[in-house]
Amino acid sequence: MKVKPSMVDLVPYQPGKPIEEVKRELGLDEVIKLASNENPYGCSPDVEKAILDSFKNVAVYPDGYARVLREKTAAMLQVEEDQLIFGNGSDEVILILCRSVLTPEDNIVTAAPTFPQYRHNAVIEGTEVKEVPLKNGVHDLEAMLSAIDENTKMVFVCNPNNPTGTYVNDEEFKRFIRNVPEDVIVVSDEAYIEYVTASDYPDTLPLLQDYPNLVILRTFSKAYGLASLRVGYGVAHSDLIKAVDPGREPFNTNSMAQAAAAAALDDQQFIRDCQEKNAREMKKYETFCKENDFKYFPSQANFILMDLEKPGGEIFEYLLHKGFITRNGEALGYSSSVRITLGKPAQNDKIIAELTDWLA
Ligand SMILES: *Cc1c(COP(=O)(O)O)cnc(C)c1O
């Protein structure tokens, strides 16, 4: 059996360690996973009923066009319904974009380190990936512009960036997209937008009017708390959506996921509460870093990457033995750092106390 050459050196996505595995290995009663930026407060209480209601149709294929969810999402964003494409997570929208647009003659431009799925899907298409190092943890948009050449088909801006939590502001993003050739697709991955509190974070939706090459990615997996159901979407000019939609599987988002996402959208108070709690908890980690002189990237997301001046693997193991699964910075390009998804207040307090104890 032979896979295509571009697949040969690829490994599957490495998810955070599963909770049950850690419990068993370490004999712990309680293990908290703060490794994948899920919402520690779960999801809106309205979601459960929506899922149970949708269960009566479990034997029937889902609505491949996701009409109800599409209407609600379009109304909320004030875009046309044909400007949306739904995916089995925004991961799948990235996949659809890559399979629809990229060939082995092309390249894409991304930051590094950033969310690994841009590279992964481009590599499968045999496409070259031009990686531009972050500058102080932030996308170096000037250098990314310079990296664009006549074979560039797509450029990815992860905003806020995973794994650093940093963002590019409105002015920087506008200057960037103004200078990107119009036949190059600009993807603004806004997976963490619900957590953003910075007033100069770019408002990209109005830019869709002027930039038919802009794709905005959003997801229900993070603040909306529906990671297990897999729903995300892209917003773009209707011509772009129409062009890539044949690259989507017919029933790619399931009925329960669609129902849950629609109910979750209706509960914006839940989102506001989570944003507020997240901002409050973020301050605790920032204070911890400042008091101990540790470097960290100021984060607009629901995670923080902190340089604790010890091998990332050691920090990871220490916290693991205390019952917290985090992300080893070594795997993210920051060898003496750890990335922690913000948990509930008591969980964050415990982590900070444990780290203070250990590092003192
Ligand atoms: C988590 C994440 C996604 C993927 O989200 P899904 O919708 O669950 O596929 C996309 N982009 C970034 C930057 C993320 O961190």
Side-chain angles (χ1 to χ4, degrees), residues 28 81 88 90-91 127 144 156 161 217 235 314:
L28 294 169
E81 289 173 23
N88 201 253
S90 51
D91 275 349
T127 300
M144 288 176 74
F156 287 88
N161 187 46
L217 297 182
V235 199
E314 246 176 72

Side-chain angles (χ1 to χ4, degrees), residues 191-260:
Y192 300 95
I193 188 170
E194 295 84 6
Y195 288 112
V196 171
T197 54
S199 56
D200 61 348
Y201 178 81
D203 186 8
T204 48
L205 285 164
L207 297 178
L208 290 169
Q209 306 236 341
D210 295 325
Y211 296 99
N213 57 331
L214 172 63
V215 181
I216 300 164
L217 297 182
R218 304 261 174 104
T219 181
F220 288 94
S221 299
K222 304 288 159 60
Y224 283 97
L226 304 179
S228 69
L229 293 173
R230 317 299 304 124
V231 211
Y233 59 91
V235 199
H237 191 284
S238 55
D239 288 348
L240 192 154
I241 298 295
K242 199 170 162 195
V244 302
D245 202 38
R248 181 179 64 82
E249 283 177 68
F251 303 108
N252 62 329
T253 60
N254 69 73
S255 305
M256 288 184 204
Q258 291 177 25

Side-chain angles (χ1 to χ4, degrees), residues 3-260:
V3 295
K4 59 184 183 178
S6 62
M7 293 282 294
V8 171
D9 292 322
L10 277 185
V11 292
Y13 177 76
Q14 302 295 307
K17 240 172 156 30
I19 290 174
E20 289 311 315
E21 194 180 304
V22 177
K23 277 188 186 170
R24 214 176 321 114
E25 280 175 12
L26 299 181
L28 294 169
D29 291 333
E30 196 190 27
V31 172
I32 311 290
K33 189 171 165 215
L34 298 172
S36 303
N37 309 333
E38 293 128 326
N39 189 338
Y41 308 103
C43 64
S44 162
D46 302 339
V47 165
E48 184 175 342
K49 183 178 179 302
I51 292 179
L52 292 176
D53 284 349
S54 78
F55 184 76
K56 61 181 181 293
N57 293 322
V58 74
V60 185
Y61 277 111
D63 174 1
Y65 195 63
R67 273 173 191 78
V68 174
L69 177 58
R70 182 178 297 270
E71 272 170 32
K72 276 190 194 292
T73 309
M76 189 183 79
L77 304 180
Q78 295 184 291
V79 298
E80 299 298 325
E81 289 173 23
D82 62 2
Q83 288 186 264
L84 296 170
I85 182 168
F86 288 91
N88 201 253
S90 51
D91 275 349
E92 198 203 16
V93 183
I94 297 167
L95 180 150
I96 293 167
L97 287 169
C98 288
R99 78 188 293 203
S100 305
V101 169
L102 301 177
T103 74
E105 282 75 49
D106 303 326
N107 68 60
I108 65 162
V109 174
T110 74
T114 191
F115 189 58
Q117 290 309 296
Y118 318 138
R119 153 176 271 283
H120 187 90
N121 285 290
V123 166
I124 290 174
E125 301 308 324
T127 300
E128 183 198 350
V129 180
K130 294 177 120 188
E131 294 183 314
V132 178
L134 299 174
K135 207 158 102 187
N136 301 321
V138 186
H139 279 59
D140 185 351
L141 293 181
E142 288 301 316
M144 288 176 74
L145 266 181
S146 308
I148 295 173
D149 62 27
E150 68 277 10
N151 296 322
T152 304
K153 282 284 169 65
M154 268 199 285
V155 41
F156 287 88
V157 180
C158 187
N159 200 22
N161 187 46
N162 183 359
T164 52
T166 55
Y167 73 108
V168 300
N169 70 29
D170 190 53
E171 191 192 320
E172 292 160 342
F173 187 80
K174 279 185 183 149
R175 191 180 333 128
F176 174 73
I177 197 165
R178 213 182 299 134
N179 286 294
V180 172
E182 57 192 28
D183 57 346
V184 176
I185 294 174
V186 176
V187 180
S188 177
D189 185 345
E190 304 176 358
Y192 300 95
I193 188 170
E194 295 84 6
Y195 288 112
V196 171
T197 54
S199 56
D200 61 348
Y201 178 81
D203 186 8
T204 48
L205 285 164
L207 297 178
L208 290 169
Q209 306 236 341
D210 295 325
Y211 296 99
N213 57 331
L214 172 63
V215 181
I216 300 164
L217 297 182
R218 304 261 174 104
T219 181
F220 288 94
S221 299
K222 304 288 159 60
Y224 283 97
L226 304 179
S228 69
L229 293 173
R230 317 299 304 124
V231 211
Y233 59 91
V235 199
H237 191 284
S238 55
D239 288 348
L240 192 154
I241 298 295
K242 199 170 162 195
V244 302
D245 202 38
R248 181 179 64 82
E249 283 177 68
F251 303 108
N252 62 329
T253 60
N254 69 73
S255 305
M256 288 184 204
Q258 291 177 25

Side-chain angles (χ1 to χ4, degrees), residues 261-314:
L265 264 193
D266 280 340
D267 189 355
Q268 288 300 315
Q269 188 59 44
F270 175 81
I271 297 296
R272 282 190 290 272
D273 289 347
C274 290
Q275 185 200 45
E276 220 169 274
K277 284 185 250 185
N278 186 71
R280 217 178 305 142
E281 294 306 302
M282 187 65 81
K283 290 227 164 58
K284 293 181 182 172
Y285 284 95
E286 289 173 351
T287 304
F288 161 75
C289 288
K290 283 177 193 154
E291 282 177 352
N292 293 280
D293 266 335
F294 292 127
K295 288 205 239 19
Y296 67 96
F297 291 114
S299 172
Q300 287 291 315
N302 66 337
F303 55 84
I304 184 165
L305 187 68
M306 303 181 289
D307 185 347
L308 304 184
E309 299 166 16
K310 277 184 183 292
E314 246 176 72

